[in-house]
Amino acid sequence: MSRTWLHRWQLKTAAGVTRICGRLFSANGDRYDLVVIGGGSGGLACAKEAAGLGAQVAVLDYVVPSVQGSSWGLGGTCVNVGCIPKKLMHHAALLGEGIRDSRSYGWKVEEERPELVWSQLLSTVQGHIKSLNWGHRVQLKDKNVTYLNAKGKLLDRHTISALNMKGEVTEVKASNIVLATGTRPKIPDIPGAAEHCITSDDLFMLRKPPGKTLVVGASYVGLECAGFLTGLGFDTSLLIRSIPLRGFDQDMARLIVRNMERHGTVVHHNSIPVKVERLDDGRLDVVWQHTNQNEGGLERGVFQDVFDTVLVATGRGPDSKALGLDAVSVETDVESGKVIVDERDETTVPHIFCIGDAADGRPELTPVAIKAGKLLSRRLFGNSTHNMDYNNIPTTVFTPMEYGCVGLSTEKAINQFGSENIETYHAFYHPLELTIPPERENQLEDHYIKTVCVREGNDDRVVGIHFLGPNAGEVIQGFAVAMRAPGGLPMSQITSTIGIHPTNAEEVVKLYITKSSGRDPVVTGC
């Protein structure tokens, strides 16, 4: 008799009483083996995996509308206001640029500059999102997972208060509770920001074109939004307080911003917003200040301009207080508010777990939350002991020139191994397909690749791969597999690999110039 079959049989016997991990709970009424608070990618993956292993599972999901009133369906940030609509709008921007490039390849395009119909783009994107919302509902039903459109709050370590849209409150009991509520955008504490600015929670639902837009913040969210808005034809400006893409490799971050400027985004470096006011005609008057007040401007580093839309992307945070964590002594990080967890994703309170963006010290990435959720359910209900490995996780920033990476940044590698033990192989290259259109000439210089290595004997061990260029995510995904090889990835393994020609990815396996050599890293094709 298999363990899975036996476990399912146990759940259906003993007069409706279930034994999970040595604890007795009734399988009748509002009592479950697992309750997941949060219907995002991680929470749904955790719930479906547990149900597939025979557990009785419920998911509570409730979207608190944004400050501007935006709300959405089941699926969390990624599906509704994150990865999916972002990638679709990024692709739409690339298509517009591709149409313009096509003239150089002999295509006859009537319009000098293709015009975007915002309402059609919005309808297409939202239509796809709604299909995903419905798909998640169907999958939960197929897995016999109870779905409650209610806001969950902990009353004790096994009891949850569920508040639905009608204001009705019910109590739900669970032997195990998983917090998977993710994060929401933070609104900067400046006059007019909360009243007049939007966030990424609102951008993908704007009923009218954003027009002239100011994006505040240089996180990956800010850079991605500014990038595709520029590509879609909107006059877009970006305020950067200090460094872009904090936590990412800064060589790559600087090149991304430089490319965005060449791409058409107006970038204001070392700048912070001071106030936002709505004018009589509906536009927004914005005042910002240069952090170096010796700069010019209206008065000692103060600047002003008028915009149709102001999007703030100044960080995200969890709504820890709404979960009632204090009532059950679940500890959170003082600064971030994120839930403190151990290597098993368990909080400071037994039987209460946290996965995804709301957990402290975890990468804020959808695939990470999904994998962590599945592994957690397997440990709880499938006799697994396999914990999530948070090392060498790949990711991509979908700016106009995409940036994909896996492993350590230069800064983190130096901090971990010491600068004297680090060697970097790098190259500037020109994507073949972009060398034909003359409009692309000033953008070619920023395409860059590097591997960050630790010197080890006669070979170098790769601890980070960074790629700037077309389809960066597709390129890095394959190299990420190699990075997880037992014993690590020797640089010789990369350079001994035959490239696929002509591709951009082959430039990675052709790397041979080291930073320490001082040689010009610009390379040419065959």
Side-chain angles (χ1 to χ4, degrees):
M1 182 182 295
S2 71
R3 290 180 177 179
T4 300
W5 192 94
L6 175 62
H7 195 70
R8 289 176 177 170
W9 177 79
Q10 289 174 330
L11 296 177
K12 297 177 182 179
T13 58
V17 176
T18 302
R19 181 180 295 273
I20 299 295
C21 302
R23 297 178 295 279
L24 290 173
F25 285 90
S26 170
N28 297 321
D30 293 327
R31 293 178 179 269
Y32 299 89
D33 305 312
L34 175 69
V35 169
V36 179
I37 303 178
S41 301
L44 292 175
C46 182
K48 290 185 288 186
E49 188 73 14
L53 292 169
Q56 186 177 4
V57 183
V59 171
L60 277 66
D61 185 63
Y62 183 87
V63 179
V64 177
S66 72
V67 174
Q68 301 301 334
S70 301
S71 61
W72 47 87
L74 186 64
T77 296
C78 176
V79 167
N80 294 281
V81 289
C83 315
I84 299 302
K86 174 271 300 289
K87 179 67 181 294
L88 292 175
M89 289 198 172
H90 168 67
H91 183 64
L94 294 182
L95 286 175
E97 294 173 349
I99 293 172
R100 294 191 289 275
D101 289 346
S102 69
R103 296 189 183 93
S104 299
Y105 284 92
W107 286 93
K108 184 178 180 181
V109 180
E110 297 297 337
E111 299 85 357
E112 182 176 345
R113 182 179 180 85
E115 181 181 351
L116 174 78
V117 181
W118 175 264
S119 60
Q120 185 174 343
L121 173 62
L122 185 70
S123 175
T124 300
V125 170
Q126 287 300 316
H128 180 69
I129 289 173
K130 285 179 173 56
S131 72
L132 297 177
N133 297 149
W134 177 250
H136 285 306
R137 294 284 294 269
V138 171
Q139 289 174 17
L140 291 181
K141 184 176 181 180
D142 290 343
K143 292 281 188 179
N144 293 318
V145 175
T146 300
Y147 168 59
L148 301 174
N149 185 203
K151 188 175 182 180
K153 184 176 182 179
L154 300 177
L155 297 180
D156 59 46
R157 66 178 57 186
H158 293 298
T159 309
I160 301 166
S161 169
L163 172 66
N164 66 19
M165 296 180 66
K166 297 179 181 179
E168 300 168 339
V169 179
T170 58
E171 289 189 4
V172 181
K173 296 284 187 177
S175 58
N176 298 285
I177 297 172
V178 174
L179 310 176
T181 50
T183 58
R184 298 290 292 270
K186 296 179 181 178
I187 306 293
D189 186 19
I190 61 171
E195 296 88 344
H196 308 308
C197 298
I198 67 169
T199 68
S200 55
D201 280 358
D202 310 293
L203 176 61
F204 305 107
M205 303 178 193
L206 289 181
R207 292 302 171 186
K208 63 178 183 179
K212 183 180 177 181
T213 303
L214 175 68
V215 177
V216 180
S219 64
Y220 74 92
V221 175
L223 295 186
E224 288 177 338
C225 291
F228 71 66
L229 287 173
T230 298
L232 293 174
F234 299 107
D235 182 352
T236 307
S237 298
L238 176 68
L239 290 190
I240 299 179
R241 182 187 63 181
S242 53
I243 64 172
L245 288 178
R246 187 178 300 277
F248 287 86
D249 190 285
Q250 285 304 291
D251 280 346
M252 317 307 280
R254 285 187 288 268
L255 286 172
I256 288 172
V257 173
R258 187 171 78 176
N259 181 265
M260 289 181 65
E261 291 182 280
R262 291 173 172 174
H263 186 249
T265 302
V266 177
V267 179
H268 301 281
H269 295 270
N270 303 312
S271 298
I272 55 175
V274 176
K275 65 177 179 178
V276 181
E277 294 181 342
R278 186 172 295 281
L279 302 176
D280 292 340
D281 61 5
R283 295 184 299 162
L284 301 176
D285 183 64
V286 183
V287 176
W288 66 92
Q289 186 169 358
H290 203 286
T291 55
N292 179 357
Q293 294 187 0
N294 291 326
E295 296 283 333
L298 298 179
E299 55 178 76
R300 295 201 64 188
V302 178
F303 300 82
Q304 177 272 337
D305 201 353
V306 176
F307 300 90
D308 298 301
T309 301
V310 177
L311 186 154
V312 291
T314 52
R316 301 176 64 90
D319 191 0
S320 307
K321 294 181 180 179
L323 290 172
L325 303 183
D326 292 341
V328 293
S329 300
V330 172
E331 293 184 11
T332 59
D333 180 78
V334 176
E335 293 186 3
S336 69
K338 292 191 173 187
V339 179
I340 296 173
V341 293
D342 62 13
E343 70 279 0
R344 297 178 60 253
D345 301 313
E346 191 165 25
T347 70
T348 51
V349 175
H351 321 310
I352 299 179
F353 303 82
C354 184
I355 59 173
D357 294 5
D360 185 52
R362 303 309 195 211
E364 296 183 358
L365 298 167
T366 295
V368 171
I370 291 173
K371 178 67 75 174
K374 290 181 177 180
L375 292 176
L376 173 57
S377 285
R378 291 169 191 171
R379 292 195 299 272
L380 290 175
F381 307 108
N383 298 313
S384 172
T385 58
H386 188 189
N387 293 331
M388 177 70 182
D389 182 358
Y390 289 97
N391 296 309
N392 289 328
I393 293 173
T395 190
T396 294
V397 179
F398 290 98
T399 38
M401 180 172 66
E402 297 176 6
Y403 167 40
C405 62
V406 59
L408 301 179
S409 66
T410 298
E411 293 78 12
K412 290 179 180 177
I414 290 175
N415 183 62
Q416 185 171 335
F417 299 103
S419 59
E420 69 279 5
N421 298 314
I422 297 298
E423 182 61 277
T424 300
Y425 295 77
H426 65 153
F428 285 94
Y429 70 101
H430 292 169
L432 175 64
E433 61 270 30
L434 300 183
T435 57
I436 301 299
E439 298 83 4
R440 296 282 194 170
E441 185 175 358
N442 73 333
Q443 299 179 25
L444 290 175
E445 299 176 10
D446 299 325
H447 294 83
Y448 182 59
I449 304 169
K450 72 175 179 180
T451 58
V452 181
C453 303
V454 175
R455 293 190 176 98
E456 290 186 351
N458 296 325
D459 206 346
D460 295 324
R461 176 167 58 91
V462 181
V463 294
I465 304 177
H466 302 265
F467 181 94
L468 279 177
N471 304 302
E474 312 296 342
V475 172
I476 284 295
Q477 184 67 81
F479 286 103
V481 176
M483 284 285 286
R484 296 185 64 82
L489 174 63
M491 187 62 194
S492 61
Q493 186 68 39
I494 289 182
T495 56
S496 65
T497 301
I498 302 300
I500 300 172
H501 188 69
T503 65
N504 297 312
E506 73 172 315
E507 301 297 339
V508 179
V509 302
K510 289 165 59 178
L511 290 173
Y512 68 96
I513 301 172
T514 62
K515 273 194 174 184
S516 63
S517 71
R519 295 178 56 185
D520 185 353
V522 176
V523 298
T524 58
C526 65

